[in-house]
Amino acid sequence: MVSGPARLARWTAAAGLVGSGIALVWLALTWRGIEAILAAHAIHLVTGQTTIAVPGRHLLILYKSTSVQSTFILTSECSVAYLLAALLIGSAPLMLMRQLSPWRTAIAVAVTATILTLVNVVRLAAIGATVSTWGTDPGFAIAHTYLGSVLTIVGACGAGITYAAILAGRRTLRRPVTG
């Protein structure tokens, strides 16, 4: 039986997850701007070329030496915001399950959100690096269609497996106290 304070904590955590998911949907444009900044830094690290983010416009500007090579707009489909919102909202009911530790659930959500975010930044960096190497045509088509799709699928599967592994991880059995 779960005590009153523990039940309240679980409901509060579940409400926090739902609220955070809704906030992420509401602030998806801001999140996309943050992803643009992260992607610009990642592309610069990979290519060594100057890459500028314009977060208010969700824009990435890739330079080759001193001239603009390409400009990308990060659309809502390029963002992981809605996937993260679904993770947060979908995990809320798990907080209410007595069979799952709320700490384990919180850790699973945090680790999975981190993996999804990092995979998306890696995907954006891979697209930028491919365009930097082969130009917009055929670089963008190759990177966006093939490389980006593979990274998204592998990353999402890896994140899902990690989420499930953390939730179903080794548990210690509690034996009832007899007295």
Side-chain angles (χ1 to χ4, degrees):
M1 184 116 182
V2 178
S3 68
R7 189 175 308 120
L8 178 62
R10 285 177 179 270
W11 278 95
T12 302
L17 286 172
V18 170
S20 297
I22 291 169
L24 195 51
V25 169
W26 188 261
L27 298 170
L29 293 175
T30 303
W31 180 264
R32 211 176 335 150
I34 293 167
E35 285 179 310
I37 293 168
L38 292 173
H41 287 295
I43 292 167
H44 174 71
L45 286 173
V46 171
T47 65
Q49 298 292 334
T50 301
T51 305
I52 297 175
V54 183
R57 301 259 187 233
H58 315 119
L59 193 66
L60 288 171
I61 304 168
L62 281 70
Y63 286 84
K64 192 74 163 189
S65 298
T66 57
S67 56
V68 173
Q69 181 182 27
S70 185
T71 305
F72 299 109
I73 296 176
L74 297 182
T75 65
S76 59
E77 292 84 9
C78 295
S79 177
V80 75
Y82 298 114
L83 189 56
L84 292 176
L87 170 69
L88 294 169
I89 294 168
S91 296
L94 299 179
M95 280 293 181
L96 304 176
M97 294 179 64
R98 289 184 305 148
Q99 298 87 348
L100 293 175
S101 160
W103 291 110
R104 185 181 298 270
T105 304
I107 290 167
V109 170
V111 169
T112 303
T114 301
I115 291 170
L116 291 171
T117 302
L118 289 175
V119 165
N120 197 50
V121 171
V122 167
R123 181 184 69 84
L124 294 170
I127 292 169
T130 305
V131 169
S132 180
T133 302
W134 291 317
T136 303
D137 188 29
F140 183 75
I142 291 170
H144 194 267
T145 304
Y146 302 108
L147 182 59
S149 296
V150 168
L151 287 172
T152 299
I153 291 167
V154 170
C157 290
I161 290 168
T162 302
Y163 183 77
I166 292 170
L167 287 177
R170 229 173 102 195
R171 297 183 197 146
T172 57
L173 294 175
R174 293 186 198 159
R175 297 188 180 199
V177 178
T178 57

